[in-house]
């Protein structure tokens, strides 16, 4: 029988496996947004956890059916949700189109592939995910532009704002695992978007994004790390 995605309900607290054996806790917000907390375990014994005690790792829209269906997700039934916390109203919007990037050039791990965004960087925009009705900007995606071109050295802005793209399986799971390893919020996709140096710890994330090795390598990655 095919696995069913966990039904969506605002305020529901769920446990999500990042890589095998490492779990993160998250709360469902307005569909399709999840607030991930900086709280990880190597088991799913969350108990009667009050998520308000944890810092927000990041809030992200996800491809709901795909991400929840393919990830190992369980409902934390006794958890106490945080219904008072405010989520950021400013986001990073990447540029349209796509471009080719190359990582670890000249090494045995060199990879070349396309990412979204025809130019390096992005814009900082005003976008309240709880707003009812449409957004004011002509694109219909946000209300207004705050910074047209975020400087590539503006680390505070880049590190403290999420990109607008939807999170997918297994790339978001791998990102969460890298957050666990780093002890803070990191984002391989955003680092590529802003031409940052890519650490070798991102090797699996890069393989997922590049599609290197074709279907056989994709299945190997899924079997080894995620299922």
């Amino acid at each position: 029988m095919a696995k069913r995605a966990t039904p969506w309900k605002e305020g529901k607290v769920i446990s999500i496996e990042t890589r095998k054996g490492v779990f993160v806790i998250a709360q469902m917000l307005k569909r399709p947004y999840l607030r991930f907390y900086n709280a990880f375990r190597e088991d799913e014994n969350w108990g009667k956890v009050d998520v308000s005690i944890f810092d927000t790792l990041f809030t992200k829209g996800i491809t709901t059916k795909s991400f929840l269906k393919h990830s190992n997700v369980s409902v934390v039934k006794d958890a106490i949700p945080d219904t008072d916390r405010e989520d950021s109203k400013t986001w990073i919007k990447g540029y349209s189109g796509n471009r080719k990037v190359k990582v670890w050039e000249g090494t045995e791990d060199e990879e070349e592939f396309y990412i979204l965004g025809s130019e390096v960087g992005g814009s900082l925009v005003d976008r309240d995910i709880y707003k009812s009705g449409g957004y004011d900007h002509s694109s219909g995606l946000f209300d207004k532009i705050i910074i047209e071109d975020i400087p590539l050295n503006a680390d505070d802005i880049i590190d403290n704002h999420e990109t607008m793209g939807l999170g997918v399986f297994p790339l978001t799971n791998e990102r969460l695992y890298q957050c666990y390893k780093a002890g803070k919020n990191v984002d391989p996709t955003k680092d590529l978007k802003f031409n940052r140096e890519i650490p070798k710890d991102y090797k699996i994330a890069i393989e997922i994004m590049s599609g290197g090795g074709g279907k056989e390598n994709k299945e190997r990655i899924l079997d080894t790390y995620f299922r």
Side-chain angles (χ1 to χ4, degrees), residues 54-81:
F54 302 127
D55 292 333
T56 298
L57 191 62
F58 60 88
T59 296
K60 185 78 174 175
I62 60 164
T63 54
T64 53
K65 289 184 178 180
S66 175
F67 179 79
L68 295 177
K69 179 179 179 180
H70 294 293
S71 298
N72 181 11
V73 177
S74 61
V75 178
V76 186
K77 295 180 180 179
D78 294 328
I80 302 169

Side-chain angles (χ1 to χ4, degrees), residues 97-110:
N98 57 63
R99 64 187 174 94
K100 187 180 289 186
V101 295
K102 184 182 290 186
V103 298
W104 307 316
E105 187 171 1
T107 74
E108 62 180 10
D109 295 317
E110 180 178 312

Side-chain angles (χ1 to χ4, degrees), residues 2 7 18 25 53 55 66 81 93 101 105 130 141 145-146 186 190 195 200 203 215 218 226:
T18 61
I25 200 163
I53 68 173
D55 292 333
S66 175
K93 181 187 178 300
V101 295
E105 187 171 1
Y130 295 102
L141 298 175
I145 296 174
I146 300 170
V186 297
K190 185 164 59 178
N195 262 12
K200 288 293 183 70
K203 181 172 173 57
K215 184 177 180 180
K218 177 183 177 181
F226 302 109

Side-chain angles (χ1 to χ4, degrees), residues 14-219:
I14 57 176
S15 175
I16 303 167
E17 194 166 29
T18 61
R19 284 192 192 179
K20 290 178 180 179
V22 176
F23 302 86
V24 67
I25 200 163
Q27 181 175 317
M28 292 179 175
L29 307 176
K30 179 181 178 181
R31 189 183 182 108
Y33 293 93
L34 286 176
R35 182 193 298 136
F36 295 95
Y37 294 96
N38 193 7
F40 296 87
R41 293 184 63 93
E42 295 182 3
D43 58 51
E44 292 190 276
N45 298 324
W46 295 101
K48 194 173 182 179
V49 61
D50 182 348
V51 297
S52 67
I53 68 173
F54 302 127
D55 292 333
T56 298
L57 191 62
F58 60 88
T59 296
K60 185 78 174 175
I62 60 164
T63 54
T64 53
K65 289 184 178 180
S66 175
F67 179 79
L68 295 177
K69 179 179 179 180
H70 294 293
S71 298
N72 181 11
V73 177
S74 61
V75 178
V76 186
K77 295 180 180 179
D78 294 328
I80 302 169
D82 184 353
T83 57
D84 296 324
R85 187 171 310 199
E86 292 189 1
D87 295 283
S88 178
K89 296 179 182 178
T90 48
W91 296 73
I92 294 173
K93 181 187 178 300
Y95 301 119
S96 60
N98 57 63
R99 64 187 174 94
K100 187 180 289 186
V101 295
K102 184 182 290 186
V103 298
W104 307 316
E105 187 171 1
T107 74
E108 62 180 10
D109 295 317
E110 180 178 312
E111 294 273 6
E112 188 175 37
F113 54 99
Y114 284 93
I115 64 170
L116 294 176
S118 59
E119 299 178 38
V120 177
S123 303
L124 191 68
V125 300
D126 182 358
R127 184 174 190 262
D128 183 355
I129 64 174
Y130 295 102
K131 182 178 180 179
S132 58
Y135 292 108
D136 297 339
H137 190 266
S138 58
S139 68
L141 298 175
F142 53 88
D143 279 330
K144 64 180 180 180
I145 296 174
I146 300 170
I147 301 175
E148 183 75 45
D149 298 299
I150 300 170
L152 299 186
N153 62 353
D155 291 336
D156 284 348
I157 294 174
I158 298 167
D159 290 337
N160 291 305
H161 294 88
E162 191 65 23
T163 58
M164 286 173 50
L166 295 178
V168 298
F169 173 88
L171 183 57
T172 300
N173 307 68
E174 176 62 15
R175 174 189 173 183
L176 287 161
Y177 180 76
Q178 292 302 325
C179 292
Y180 162 71
K181 295 290 287 185
K184 62 179 182 179
N185 181 20
V186 297
D187 186 351
T189 303
K190 185 164 59 178
D191 288 348
L192 282 171
K193 190 179 293 291
F194 282 88
N195 262 12
R196 289 172 152 183
E197 184 176 350
I198 304 301
K200 288 293 183 70
D201 286 345
Y202 288 1
K203 181 172 173 57
I204 298 302
I206 295 299
E207 288 192 36
I208 293 169
M209 283 187 269
S210 69
K215 184 177 180 180
E216 182 177 338
N217 192 48
K218 177 183 177 181
E219 292 299 313

